[in-house]
Structures are given as structure tokens and as C-alpha cells.
Amino acid sequence: MLELTVAADERPLYFWLNGARILAYDLPEWSPAAGPLPIRQRASEDQARRALDFLDKGIRWHGPAAELYVEMANIHLRRLDDPASAARCYRLAAEQPGAPYYAARIHAELLRELGRPQEALHWLRQVLPTLPAADPAARREVVLERIKALEQELAGR
């Protein structure tokens, strides 16, 4: 029914986002709990990949949207334990018009966790001038603190 819903009208992001969430998070929980753990894990991964394919289709139909990339990042991170792919998707989200500010911060944090602090520092330095000082959601002070922490970390190497 998800495919029918988005075929009827591909414009509302609501259907794409919640359809992907149903696939990635709900369907694996609705399956019978019986069976060996590896089989249940494989089924959960398969559902997460179906959700990512669904969101990919949403991007092809709807066009790039920060919300779709954030949802992809969340699935990579929470369901597939793939921080590198999550970082890539958060960056794609951050590069979209009207993206939530947190997408850029999470991208940098994942780069740092992946052992790529120089990239994280470069990214945050690039993002900082674009953050409006008058908007508390931009969290400029957090970005400045992270830049300082990364500079100290890299100086200590």
C-alpha cells in the first residue's frame, strides 16, 4: 500500500518518511520473535534496506530533500550500524536548502567518531559562517566549542 500511496501523490514528504519508518522499524518488530537471532537480524537488515530503497525512490520522484536524507542517515545509523553511510547522508541533508542545523553537526560528529577529525574540523569551519547568530537553533556556540575541541585534539597528535 505504500507504493500505491506515493504513486497517487508523490509530493507529501509525510508518506515517504513514515512509509520508510514503517519498513525499517515497525515491520521487523511485527514479525514473529521465534527463530534464530541471525535470521531475525537478517530480516531486520533487509527491511532497513527496503526502507532506504523506498527513500531513494522518494528522492528520484520528489527531488532532494533534507528530511529524506536525514531519515536515510537515521536508518543507516540505528538499523544498519553504518556510521560512514549515515555521515554521508547527514552531509547530503545539510547541503539541502532549509536543512536542519543539526544535520551539519551530526555529520561532523560522525566524522570524528570515524577517526576523521581533520575532515570534521574542516567541515565545521565551513559551516560556521553560514549559521545565523540570532537563531538559537543554529547552535553557533556548540559549533565553536566543537571546533576548539577538534583543534586541541589535532594539536595533541
Side-chain angles (χ1 to χ4, degrees):
M1 297 303 288
L2 293 173
E3 294 292 337
L4 180 60
T5 302
V6 295
D9 187 356
E10 76 279 351
R11 292 170 298 165
L13 289 178
Y14 176 87
F15 297 129
W16 294 104
L17 297 172
N18 286 295
R21 290 172 186 152
I22 289 168
L23 291 169
Y25 302 103
D26 295 339
L27 286 179
E29 298 304 317
W30 295 341
S31 358
L37 181 61
I39 292 174
R40 292 193 319 263
Q41 287 174 329
R42 175 63 186 200
S44 181
E45 290 172 10
D46 289 346
Q47 285 303 125
R49 293 189 198 300
R50 283 186 63 203
L52 291 170
D53 289 344
F54 185 72
L55 290 167
D56 239 1
K57 185 175 183 179
I59 290 168
R60 286 193 310 273
W61 282 24
H62 185 276
E67 299 90 341
L68 296 174
Y69 286 122
V70 165
E71 198 62 40
M72 292 173 92
N74 290 338
I75 291 168
H76 279 294
L77 199 57
R78 294 183 183 138
R79 299 308 279 184
L80 297 174
D81 193 26
D82 183 355
S85 293
R88 180 182 53 79
C89 289
Y90 278 120
R91 180 175 182 141
L92 289 169
E95 292 172 340
Q96 302 309 309
Y101 299 118
Y102 67 81
R105 292 192 306 271
I106 294 173
H107 171 67
E109 188 59 25
L110 288 171
L111 288 175
R112 189 192 62 74
E113 288 176 16
L114 290 164
R116 296 158 51 188
Q118 188 65 49
E119 283 181 65
L121 178 59
H122 177 74
W123 172 255
L124 289 176
R125 285 178 174 162
Q126 181 181 333
V127 166
L128 183 63
T130 69
L131 300 175
D135 187 348
R139 309 286 310 264
R140 282 181 63 89
E141 71 285 354
V142 171
V143 172
L144 281 168
E145 287 173 18
R146 289 184 181 172
I147 288 172
K148 288 177 188 174
L150 285 164
E151 287 172 341
Q152 289 175 348
E153 178 183 334
L154 290 166
R157 285 187 172 187

